[in-house]
Amino acid sequence: MLNISKNICQKNIRWSTTHFIIFSARGYHHSWPKKFLVQNNINCRKIQYLKLQKCNFRTTQNLYVPPLIAMVLRPVLRFGALLIGRGIKKWWTRKSEKEKEEYKHWFRERRNMFLGCFGLYGLMLAVYYMTHLETDPLTQRSRFIIFNREQEKKLGKLILEAHLEAHKNDLVPHNHPAYKRLMKVIERIITANKDLKSMRDIQWTLTVINTPLTNSYILPGGNIFVSLDILKITENDDQLGIILAHEMAHSLLLHSLESLSDQLLWDFLIAIPILIVWALFPDMAAAIIHMIGERILNIIYNLPFSRVLENEADEVGLKLAAKACIDIREAVVFWATMRTLTEMHTLPPELPWISTHPTHGDREKKLNELMTKTLELRKDSGCSTLPVIDPRDKFYKRSEKEQEIYFKQRGIM
């Protein structure tokens, strides 16, 4: 695992052994997971969107929640609501009919007070949500985050240690050729995007693991994990740069912190419905309703939200790669390759409605749509002219049989 020093702004990258660790990874597993990012020498009007925007709603300092407390609170809220609801149900069944009528009468007289308490609870959550909205400086998207950068670093250290321990038998040594290749690409991306304060502030680390899964992901604090097998799928360093820039974009955009913030807020919102379900229904019926409710919430909100973040990382990552003078047309080729391998049943089938990532074909199409403007960004960044032969044309001109032969020659099939 390598540590990339902050003084990249002087083009000096310091790589050393570090022992951090991580939290949750928005990773790339057979998939990967608005204005343009630009360098300092471009007209200031083109980079106005890089200025950090803050929400003016709040009048007091943000109340940030320690990430470890948030992680403990999540299961406590859900399981606590379940136990309280079940306890209320058992308490109610022990009451006589006369006592039940007395309690019902008592509740009817005070129902406005109970409704007011529920309303106050919702209002408190709404106010907390509004006062913790901030505008992302790279995308101008408003987002809810209840953690700060320092908390992310502390959490990242803890989780990194856990991941290193989990992969201790799979760690690729630092003298492996893959390390040098990956370091070179990462350094190239960081150097080209050093005008971004967030890029300079992160202590980037790299860990290469030898696992059978074609996977890459990033942990809080800029800790990148790459499977050795991903080098078999990528055709060249340009495609590898697209993957790495995507993962680095997740960190720049604070996606792990945003996801944990969002999940904790939902846990507070659904705690009362969980309590009511377990208080009103028999255990078996309550368990079924609880499970179905969780699945519905996951399908209609959590998974689409995850796919939005992946698309956002694709877009910002493409811009980071463009500024690094990478042939970003290879991004389309990479996802077209993943799509084709899936259609050939070499990769597992995609289930878009229950996936955390967009389909390979959707990513291929979206990146193609972004290509014209992003190629302009690459040109404005002072990069050399790209080869006349477009790699996308080469890929799309092959027949299905020719694709199969080509993949076999590369050792993918």
Side-chain angles (χ1 to χ4, degrees):
M1 188 271 309
L2 304 174
N3 183 359
I4 307 174
S5 175
K6 287 183 181 179
N7 68 348
I8 187 68
C9 53
Q10 282 79 36
K11 296 185 180 180
N12 296 322
I13 308 297
R14 177 169 55 85
W15 304 86
S16 60
T17 303
T18 310
H19 296 286
F20 293 176
I21 237 198
I22 276 168
F23 157 59
S24 124
R26 283 198 167 279
Y28 154 79
H29 178 68
H30 288 307
S31 69
W32 240 78
K34 294 177 179 172
K35 306 290 182 183
F36 283 100
L37 307 181
V38 290
Q39 293 180 339
N40 288 332
N41 59 352
I42 298 178
N43 191 298
C44 292
R45 286 175 296 180
K46 294 183 180 180
I47 57 173
Q48 286 178 350
Y49 80 99
L50 290 177
K51 296 178 181 178
L52 182 62
Q53 307 276 328
K54 292 188 177 180
C55 176
N56 295 321
F57 181 85
R58 70 179 70 90
T59 57
T60 58
Q61 186 176 8
N62 273 10
L63 178 61
Y64 289 110
V65 178
L68 290 178
I69 292 180
M71 293 172 69
V72 171
L73 264 179
R74 293 202 64 209
V76 168
L77 281 170
R78 292 177 178 242
F79 194 61
L82 184 155
L83 290 179
I84 293 173
R86 197 164 180 267
I88 291 174
K89 178 172 59 184
K90 288 187 175 182
W91 169 82
W92 183 255
T93 57
R94 291 195 296 266
K95 299 300 176 182
S96 64
E97 290 301 321
K98 182 179 179 181
E99 288 175 318
K100 288 180 180 180
E101 286 300 321
E102 290 175 353
Y103 277 113
K104 288 178 182 179
H105 178 71
W106 178 85
F107 175 79
R108 281 193 294 266
E109 289 182 339
R110 295 165 177 80
R111 60 186 174 187
N112 290 336
M113 180 186 70
F114 283 100
L115 291 175
C117 289
F118 288 134
L120 180 62
Y121 180 76
L123 179 63
M124 290 171 61
L125 290 179
V127 170
Y128 187 78
Y129 175 82
M130 293 295 296
T131 55
H132 287 77
L133 287 175
E134 59 181 54
T135 302
D136 186 88
L138 302 183
T139 65
Q140 296 301 296
R141 179 175 62 85
S142 182
R143 61 190 182 182
F144 172 68
I145 293 185
I146 60 176
F147 313 106
N148 56 34
R149 279 285 190 183
E150 289 304 313
Q151 291 173 332
E152 180 193 29
K153 291 177 182 177
K154 293 177 182 179
L155 181 64
K157 291 179 182 180
L158 293 175
I159 304 206
L160 178 58
E161 289 171 2
H163 276 249
L164 291 176
E165 179 63 25
H167 292 291
K168 62 182 179 182
N169 297 324
D170 303 318
L171 296 177
V172 173
H174 295 180
N175 59 359
H176 195 283
Y179 259 112
K180 297 179 181 179
R181 182 181 176 189
L182 289 163
M183 283 194 300
K184 183 178 178 181
V185 177
I186 292 173
E187 177 180 349
R188 180 178 173 182
I189 296 170
I190 295 175
T191 303
N193 292 277
K194 62 186 179 183
D195 56 307
L196 301 178
K197 183 179 183 299
S198 53
M199 180 69 79
R200 301 193 303 270
D201 288 346
I202 295 175
Q203 274 199 319
W204 299 98
T205 69
L206 170 67
T207 303
V208 181
I209 52 178
N210 189 8
T211 63
L213 294 177
T214 305
N215 192 19
S216 73
Y217 59 90
I218 192 161
L219 303 169
N223 304 298
I224 305 169
F225 275 66
V226 180
S227 168
L228 203 58
D229 271 7
I230 207 169
L231 302 180
K232 298 177 182 178
I233 297 292
T234 52
E235 190 171 353
N236 47 53
D237 283 357
D238 291 313
Q239 291 186 12
L240 190 59
I242 294 296
I243 296 174
L244 292 171
H246 169 93
E247 300 302 346
M248 295 169 77
H250 274 308
S251 188
L252 294 177
L253 296 167
L254 300 179
H255 281 170
S256 60
L257 296 187
E258 185 179 359
S259 294
L260 182 57
S261 301
D262 189 76
Q263 291 162 3
L264 184 61
L265 179 66
W266 272 105
D267 287 334
F268 273 100
L269 284 172
I270 67 174
I272 291 179
I274 290 175
L275 186 153
I276 293 174
V277 165
W278 282 91
L280 296 180
F281 296 93
D283 286 354
M284 183 60 70
I288 293 173
I289 295 171
H290 188 168
M291 181 183 67
I292 293 175
E294 295 256 2
R295 297 297 182 273
I296 292 174
L297 177 62
N298 198 41
I299 291 173
I300 67 174
Y301 180 79
N302 292 333
L303 292 176
F305 177 71
S306 178
R307 293 192 289 269
V308 166
L309 298 187
E310 289 298 327
N311 280 325
E312 189 174 76
D314 275 349
E315 183 173 347
V316 173
L318 190 69
K319 296 170 186 176
L320 297 177
K323 291 175 64 180
C325 297
I326 288 169
D327 188 346
I328 55 175
R329 299 173 299 181
E330 292 285 359
V332 177
V333 176
F334 176 79
W335 288 114
T337 298
M338 300 296 286
R339 171 185 55 77
T340 304
L341 289 171
T342 302
E343 291 171 352
M344 292 180 174
H345 307 293
T346 300
L347 297 179
E350 296 181 286
L351 302 173
W353 295 105
I354 57 173
S355 175
T356 57
H357 291 64
T359 64
H360 306 323
D362 286 344
R363 300 175 93 163
E364 172 192 358
K365 180 180 178 181
K366 184 172 180 61
L367 290 170
N368 240 332
E369 292 171 351
L370 296 169
M371 197 55 57
T372 301
K373 289 186 177 180
T374 316
L375 284 171
E376 291 176 5
L377 169 63
R378 187 184 184 279
K379 181 180 178 181
D380 292 341
S381 300
C383 301
S384 59
T385 305
L386 287 169
V388 176
I389 300 177
D390 192 324
R392 293 173 293 178
D393 293 337
K394 290 173 62 178
F395 183 90
Y396 291 129
K397 285 178 181 178
R398 297 191 197 110
S399 65
E400 183 176 343
K401 186 62 178 179
E402 289 173 332
Q403 293 283 23
E404 185 177 346
I405 294 172
Y406 181 67
F407 292 147
K408 287 180 178 179
Q409 288 175 343
R410 289 177 53 195
I412 298 177
M413 294 181 67

Short mmCIF file of all heavy atoms in Angstrom, two decimals, residues 235-236 238-239 326-334 336-337 368 371 375 386-398 403 406:
data_model
loop_
_atom_site.label_atom_id
_atom_site.label_comp_id
_atom_site.label_asym_id
_atom_site.label_seq_id
_atom_site.Cartn_x
_atom_site.Cartn_y
_atom_site.Cartn_z
N GLU A 235 -7.12 -2.86 -21.61
CA GLU A 235 -6.32 -3.09 -22.81
C GLU A 235 -5.03 -2.26 -22.82
O GLU A 235 -4.05 -2.64 -23.44
CB GLU A 235 -7.16 -2.76 -24.04
CG GLU A 235 -6.56 -3.17 -25.36
CD GLU A 235 -7.54 -3.00 -26.51
OE1 GLU A 235 -8.72 -2.69 -26.23
OE2 GLU A 235 -7.13 -3.19 -27.66
N ASN A 236 -5.05 -1.12 -22.10
CA ASN A 236 -3.89 -0.23 -22.10
C ASN A 236 -3.96 0.68 -20.87
O ASN A 236 -4.91 0.62 -20.09
CB ASN A 236 -3.86 0.60 -23.39
CG ASN A 236 -5.24 1.21 -23.70
OD1 ASN A 236 -5.83 1.86 -22.86
ND2 ASN A 236 -5.74 0.95 -24.91
N ASP A 238 -4.47 3.82 -20.82
CA ASP A 238 -5.56 4.78 -20.92
C ASP A 238 -6.82 4.24 -20.25
O ASP A 238 -7.49 4.95 -19.50
CB ASP A 238 -5.84 5.11 -22.39
CG ASP A 238 -4.72 5.92 -23.03
OD1 ASP A 238 -4.28 6.90 -22.41
OD2 ASP A 238 -4.30 5.55 -24.14
N GLN A 239 -7.15 2.98 -20.51
CA GLN A 239 -8.32 2.37 -19.86
C GLN A 239 -8.09 2.24 -18.37
O GLN A 239 -9.01 2.45 -17.56
CB GLN A 239 -8.61 1.01 -20.49
CG GLN A 239 -9.10 1.09 -21.92
CD GLN A 239 -9.52 -0.26 -22.48
OE1 GLN A 239 -9.65 -1.24 -21.75
NE2 GLN A 239 -9.74 -0.32 -23.79
N ILE A 326 -5.08 11.65 -20.95
CA ILE A 326 -5.40 10.26 -21.25
C ILE A 326 -6.34 10.24 -22.46
O ILE A 326 -7.14 11.15 -22.65
CB ILE A 326 -6.05 9.59 -20.02
CG1 ILE A 326 -4.99 9.36 -18.94
CG2 ILE A 326 -6.76 8.29 -20.37
CD1 ILE A 326 -5.56 8.95 -17.60
N ASP A 327 -6.21 9.22 -23.28
CA ASP A 327 -7.13 9.07 -24.41
C ASP A 327 -8.48 8.62 -23.87
O ASP A 327 -8.75 7.43 -23.68
CB ASP A 327 -6.59 8.05 -25.43
CG ASP A 327 -7.43 8.02 -26.70
OD1 ASP A 327 -8.54 8.58 -26.71
OD2 ASP A 327 -6.98 7.40 -27.69
N ILE A 328 -9.33 9.59 -23.57
CA ILE A 328 -10.60 9.30 -22.89
C ILE A 328 -11.58 8.55 -23.77
O ILE A 328 -12.59 8.03 -23.28
CB ILE A 328 -11.24 10.59 -22.36
CG1 ILE A 328 -11.42 11.61 -23.50
CG2 ILE A 328 -10.42 11.18 -21.24
CD1 ILE A 328 -12.14 12.87 -23.09
N ARG A 329 -11.29 8.44 -25.07
CA ARG A 329 -12.17 7.64 -25.93
C ARG A 329 -12.13 6.17 -25.52
O ARG A 329 -13.06 5.41 -25.78
CB ARG A 329 -11.72 7.79 -27.40
CG ARG A 329 -11.80 9.22 -27.92
CD ARG A 329 -11.20 9.35 -29.30
NE ARG A 329 -9.78 8.99 -29.32
CZ ARG A 329 -9.01 9.04 -30.40
NH1 ARG A 329 -9.52 9.45 -31.56
NH2 ARG A 329 -7.74 8.68 -30.34
N GLU A 330 -11.05 5.80 -24.82
CA GLU A 330 -10.91 4.42 -24.34
C GLU A 330 -11.93 4.09 -23.24
O GLU A 330 -12.18 2.92 -22.96
CB GLU A 330 -9.50 4.17 -23.82
CG GLU A 330 -8.41 4.18 -24.90
CD GLU A 330 -8.42 2.91 -25.75
OE1 GLU A 330 -9.26 2.02 -25.50
OE2 GLU A 330 -7.59 2.83 -26.67
N ALA A 331 -12.51 5.11 -22.62
CA ALA A 331 -13.55 4.87 -21.61
C ALA A 331 -14.74 4.17 -22.24
O ALA A 331 -15.32 3.23 -21.67
CB ALA A 331 -13.98 6.18 -20.97
N VAL A 332 -15.12 4.63 -23.43
CA VAL A 332 -16.24 4.02 -24.15
C VAL A 332 -15.88 2.59 -24.56
O VAL A 332 -16.69 1.67 -24.44
CB VAL A 332 -16.60 4.85 -25.38
CG1 VAL A 332 -17.71 4.19 -26.18
CG2 VAL A 332 -17.01 6.27 -24.97
N VAL A 333 -14.64 2.40 -25.02
CA VAL A 333 -14.19 1.07 -25.43
C VAL A 333 -14.21 0.11 -24.25
O VAL A 333 -14.63 -1.05 -24.38
CB VAL A 333 -12.78 1.13 -26.05
CG1 VAL A 333 -12.28 -0.27 -26.39
CG2 VAL A 333 -12.77 2.01 -27.29
N PHE A 334 -13.77 0.59 -23.08
CA PHE A 334 -13.74 -0.28 -21.90
C PHE A 334 -15.14 -0.77 -21.54
O PHE A 334 -15.36 -1.97 -21.33
CB PHE A 334 -13.14 0.47 -20.71
CG PHE A 334 -13.16 -0.32 -19.43
CD1 PHE A 334 -12.22 -1.30 -19.19
CD2 PHE A 334 -14.15 -0.10 -18.48
CE1 PHE A 334 -12.25 -2.05 -18.01
CE2 PHE A 334 -14.18 -0.84 -17.31
CZ PHE A 334 -13.23 -1.81 -17.07
N ALA A 336 -17.79 -0.75 -23.47
CA ALA A 336 -18.30 -1.56 -24.58
C ALA A 336 -17.76 -2.98 -24.48
O ALA A 336 -18.48 -3.96 -24.77
CB ALA A 336 -17.90 -0.93 -25.91
N THR A 337 -16.51 -3.10 -24.03
CA THR A 337 -15.91 -4.42 -23.83
C THR A 337 -16.65 -5.17 -22.73
O THR A 337 -16.99 -6.36 -22.88
CB THR A 337 -14.43 -4.29 -23.46
OG1 THR A 337 -13.72 -3.66 -24.53
CG2 THR A 337 -13.81 -5.65 -23.17
N ASN A 368 -20.21 8.20 -24.09
CA ASN A 368 -20.17 8.61 -25.49
C ASN A 368 -20.81 9.98 -25.67
O ASN A 368 -20.33 10.82 -26.45
CB ASN A 368 -20.89 7.58 -26.36
CG ASN A 368 -19.99 6.96 -27.42
OD1 ASN A 368 -19.03 7.59 -27.86
ND2 ASN A 368 -20.29 5.75 -27.81
N MET A 371 -18.48 12.76 -24.58
CA MET A 371 -17.16 12.73 -25.19
C MET A 371 -16.78 14.02 -25.89
O MET A 371 -15.65 14.51 -25.75
CB MET A 371 -17.08 11.54 -26.16
CG MET A 371 -15.66 11.17 -26.53
SD MET A 371 -14.59 10.83 -25.10
CE MET A 371 -15.50 9.51 -24.28
N LEU A 375 -13.53 16.05 -24.75
CA LEU A 375 -12.37 16.13 -25.64
C LEU A 375 -11.93 17.58 -25.81
O LEU A 375 -10.73 17.86 -25.95
CB LEU A 375 -12.72 15.52 -27.00
CG LEU A 375 -12.77 13.98 -27.05
CD1 LEU A 375 -13.33 13.51 -28.40
CD2 LEU A 375 -11.39 13.38 -26.80
N LEU A 386 -4.68 13.65 -30.32
CA LEU A 386 -4.93 12.21 -30.25
C LEU A 386 -4.69 11.55 -31.61
O LEU A 386 -4.80 12.21 -32.65
CB LEU A 386 -6.37 11.95 -29.80
CG LEU A 386 -6.69 12.25 -28.33
CD1 LEU A 386 -8.20 12.22 -28.11
CD2 LEU A 386 -6.00 11.24 -27.42
N PRO A 387 -4.41 10.26 -31.61
CA PRO A 387 -4.28 9.53 -32.89
C PRO A 387 -5.55 9.67 -33.73
O PRO A 387 -6.67 9.73 -33.19
CB PRO A 387 -4.07 8.08 -32.45
CG PRO A 387 -3.49 8.18 -31.08
CD PRO A 387 -4.12 9.39 -30.46
N VAL A 388 -5.37 9.74 -35.02
CA VAL A 388 -6.51 9.92 -35.93
C VAL A 388 -7.47 8.74 -35.85
O VAL A 388 -8.69 8.90 -35.90
CB VAL A 388 -6.02 10.10 -37.39
CG1 VAL A 388 -7.21 10.20 -38.33
CG2 VAL A 388 -5.13 11.33 -37.49
N ILE A 389 -6.92 7.54 -35.71
CA ILE A 389 -7.76 6.34 -35.63
C ILE A 389 -8.43 6.30 -34.26
O ILE A 389 -7.77 6.21 -33.23
CB ILE A 389 -6.94 5.07 -35.87
CG1 ILE A 389 -6.29 5.10 -37.26
CG2 ILE A 389 -7.82 3.83 -35.72
CD1 ILE A 389 -5.39 3.92 -37.54
N ASP A 390 -9.74 6.37 -34.26
CA ASP A 390 -10.51 6.37 -33.02
C ASP A 390 -10.66 4.92 -32.53
O ASP A 390 -11.16 4.07 -33.27
CB ASP A 390 -11.89 6.98 -33.27
CG ASP A 390 -12.65 7.28 -31.99
OD1 ASP A 390 -12.52 6.50 -31.03
OD2 ASP A 390 -13.37 8.30 -31.96
N PRO A 391 -10.23 4.63 -31.28
CA PRO A 391 -10.37 3.25 -30.77
C PRO A 391 -11.81 2.77 -30.72
O PRO A 391 -12.07 1.57 -30.79
CB PRO A 391 -9.74 3.33 -29.37
CG PRO A 391 -9.79 4.78 -29.00
CD PRO A 391 -9.61 5.51 -30.29
N ARG A 392 -12.74 3.69 -30.64
CA ARG A 392 -14.16 3.31 -30.64
C ARG A 392 -14.54 2.72 -32.00
O ARG A 392 -15.27 1.73 -32.07
CB ARG A 392 -15.05 4.52 -30.32
CG ARG A 392 -14.90 5.06 -28.91
CD ARG A 392 -15.68 6.34 -28.73
NE ARG A 392 -15.12 7.43 -29.54
CZ ARG A 392 -15.62 8.66 -29.60
NH1 ARG A 392 -16.73 8.94 -28.92
NH2 ARG A 392 -15.05 9.59 -30.34
N ASP A 393 -14.03 3.35 -33.06
CA ASP A 393 -14.33 2.84 -34.41
C ASP A 393 -13.76 1.44 -34.59
O ASP A 393 -14.42 0.55 -35.16
CB ASP A 393 -13.76 3.78 -35.46
CG ASP A 393 -14.46 5.13 -35.46
OD1 ASP A 393 -15.62 5.19 -35.00
OD2 ASP A 393 -13.85 6.12 -35.92
N LYS A 394 -12.54 1.24 -34.10
CA LYS A 394 -11.90 -0.08 -34.22
C LYS A 394 -12.73 -1.14 -33.51
O LYS A 394 -12.92 -2.25 -34.02
CB LYS A 394 -10.49 -0.04 -33.64
CG LYS A 394 -9.49 0.76 -34.45
CD LYS A 394 -8.16 0.89 -33.74
CE LYS A 394 -7.52 -0.49 -33.52
NZ LYS A 394 -6.19 -0.37 -32.86
N PHE A 395 -13.25 -0.78 -32.35
CA PHE A 395 -14.03 -1.75 -31.58
C PHE A 395 -15.35 -2.06 -32.27
O PHE A 395 -15.72 -3.23 -32.44
CB PHE A 395 -14.30 -1.21 -30.18
CG PHE A 395 -15.04 -2.17 -29.29
CD1 PHE A 395 -14.36 -3.08 -28.51
CD2 PHE A 395 -16.44 -2.18 -29.26
CE1 PHE A 395 -15.05 -3.97 -27.70
CE2 PHE A 395 -17.13 -3.08 -28.46
CZ PHE A 395 -16.42 -3.98 -27.68
N TYR A 396 -16.07 -1.04 -32.69
CA TYR A 396 -17.40 -1.24 -33.25
C TYR A 396 -17.37 -1.88 -34.63
O TYR A 396 -18.38 -2.44 -35.08
CB TYR A 396 -18.15 0.09 -33.31
CG TYR A 396 -18.53 0.64 -31.95
CD1 TYR A 396 -18.23 1.96 -31.59
CD2 TYR A 396 -19.17 -0.16 -31.01
CE1 TYR A 396 -18.57 2.46 -30.35
CE2 TYR A 396 -19.51 0.33 -29.76
CZ TYR A 396 -19.21 1.63 -29.43
OH TYR A 396 -19.54 2.12 -28.20
N LYS A 397 -16.24 -1.82 -35.32
CA LYS A 397 -16.16 -2.42 -36.65
C LYS A 397 -15.95 -3.93 -36.61
O LYS A 397 -16.14 -4.62 -37.61
CB LYS A 397 -15.02 -1.76 -37.44
CG LYS A 397 -15.36 -0.36 -37.94
CD LYS A 397 -14.18 0.25 -38.69
CE LYS A 397 -14.52 1.66 -39.17
NZ LYS A 397 -13.37 2.31 -39.86
N ARG A 398 -15.55 -4.45 -35.44
CA ARG A 398 -15.35 -5.89 -35.34
C ARG A 398 -16.69 -6.61 -35.28
O ARG A 398 -17.62 -6.16 -34.60
CB ARG A 398 -14.54 -6.25 -34.08
CG ARG A 398 -13.13 -5.69 -34.05
CD ARG A 398 -12.35 -6.34 -32.90
NE ARG A 398 -11.16 -5.56 -32.59
CZ ARG A 398 -10.98 -4.85 -31.49
NH1 ARG A 398 -11.93 -4.83 -30.56
NH2 ARG A 398 -9.88 -4.17 -31.30
N GLN A 403 -14.69 -10.24 -32.36
CA GLN A 403 -14.55 -9.84 -30.95
C GLN A 403 -14.16 -11.04 -30.10
O GLN A 403 -13.28 -10.95 -29.23
CB GLN A 403 -15.87 -9.24 -30.44
CG GLN A 403 -16.27 -7.93 -31.07
CD GLN A 403 -15.49 -6.75 -30.55
OE1 GLN A 403 -14.38 -6.89 -30.03
NE2 GLN A 403 -16.04 -5.56 -30.69
N TYR A 406 -10.59 -11.87 -30.66
CA TYR A 406 -9.75 -10.84 -30.06
C TYR A 406 -9.66 -11.03 -28.54
O TYR A 406 -8.58 -10.93 -27.94
CB TYR A 406 -10.31 -9.47 -30.40
CG TYR A 406 -9.52 -8.31 -29.85
CD1 TYR A 406 -8.23 -8.04 -30.32
CD2 TYR A 406 -10.05 -7.48 -28.87
CE1 TYR A 406 -7.50 -6.98 -29.81
CE2 TYR A 406 -9.33 -6.42 -28.36
CZ TYR A 406 -8.06 -6.17 -28.84
OH TYR A 406 -7.34 -5.12 -28.33
#
